[in-house]
Amino acid sequence: MKRVLAVLATVVVLAAPLTACSGSKSVSGTVVSKNTDRDCSTKKKHGKRTRSCHTEYELQVRTKSGDQEEVDVSSGDYADCVEGSKYPKCTTR
């Protein structure tokens, strides 16, 4: 019995990070602000320096309970959802 519980606990611990990043969290409310984060990194490959950048698009959504939730969205959804619009309805234009 102890062995079964130990295996189960290990599975839960290893699976937790996978479910945390899945984006399955359903949030609905009003968009109160928008933010972008641009991350760049420089690597040296074959004697040359290369720079790689990517942008993360985020919306701050106020839920009916008054809480603010940060939601990662695509660049298209970021453009479609203006402050004051209803999320996730603004993503389905």
Side-chain angles (χ1 to χ4, degrees), residues 17-39:
L18 298 175
T19 58
C21 297
S22 67
S24 63
K25 183 168 134 180
S26 62
V27 175
S28 62
T30 304
V31 176
V32 292
S33 66
K34 299 166 66 168
N35 188 28
T36 57
D37 289 332
R38 186 162 172 88
D39 293 324

Side-chain angles (χ1 to χ4, degrees), residues 19-87:
T19 58
C21 297
S22 67
S24 63
K25 183 168 134 180
S26 62
V27 175
S28 62
T30 304
V31 176
V32 292
S33 66
K34 299 166 66 168
N35 188 28
T36 57
D37 289 332
R38 186 162 172 88
D39 293 324
C40 296
S41 63
T42 304
K43 296 180 182 178
K44 192 172 184 180
K45 187 175 182 180
H46 302 294
K48 293 183 180 179
R49 294 183 128 196
T50 59
R51 186 172 180 172
S52 175
C53 298
H54 76 277
T55 303
E56 295 176 352
Y57 299 92
E58 303 165 346
L59 301 175
Q60 286 287 333
V61 177
R62 178 168 288 127
T63 63
K64 287 184 180 182
S65 64
D67 297 331
Q68 284 195 19
E69 298 280 338
E70 184 177 281
V71 181
D72 294 332
V73 294
S74 67
S75 61
D77 289 346
Y78 182 85
D80 290 342
C81 294
V82 296
E83 289 183 24
S85 62
K86 298 292 180 188
Y87 180 85

